[in-house]
Amino acid sequence: VSYQEFPDATDYGWTFTGSCEGGRAEFFEKDFVEHGVVKLDFYYSTGTVKTVLDHPRQGVTQLFAKGEALSFNLYRAILQNPRHHTGKRYRRRA
């Protein structure tokens, strides 16, 4: 995945919290009124995005999108609303 194909999360109000050069990942956080603090990990080497948030009924969950399922438009939608429903992301309990 070309790192340049995806928008910078900080342009959408996310705070950069660190990176992992070996894993080619960047980490961000953002406080949403309706979701609380959401964590976002972007693995640009594999084209994977993970969000960790507190779901009102399911508790803390992780949502993933990767590979062909993660388009520029989907990534932008996730940056704007981390609970964006697409049917292409999968969930794991944290």
Side-chain angles (χ1 to χ4, degrees):
V1 171
S2 171
Y3 182 67
Q4 286 73 29
E5 291 179 17
F6 291 90
D8 187 338
T10 60
D11 292 341
Y12 289 81
W14 292 80
T15 301
F16 177 76
T17 59
S19 63
C20 175
E21 192 64 36
R24 297 186 183 166
E26 293 186 337
F27 310 110
F28 302 89
E29 286 185 357
K30 185 174 180 179
D31 193 357
F32 288 85
V33 173
E34 62 275 12
H35 310 304
V37 175
V38 176
K39 295 182 179 187
L40 181 139
D41 300 350
F42 180 54
Y43 300 88
Y44 49 89
S45 62
T46 60
T48 302
V49 66
K50 174 180 85 171
T51 53
V52 179
L53 55 95
D54 192 6
H55 189 278
R57 290 187 304 259
Q58 298 171 348
V60 177
T61 58
Q62 299 176 348
L63 291 171
F64 295 86
K66 67 179 182 176
E68 292 181 14
L70 182 62
S71 66
F72 169 85
N73 289 331
L74 175 57
Y75 184 60
R76 186 176 55 198
I78 292 167
L79 292 174
Q80 293 169 337
N81 176 9
R83 287 191 60 206
H84 180 73
H85 292 274
T86 64
K88 295 181 180 182
R89 297 173 76 194
Y90 62 95
R91 176 180 61 85
R92 286 192 187 153
R93 291 200 64 152

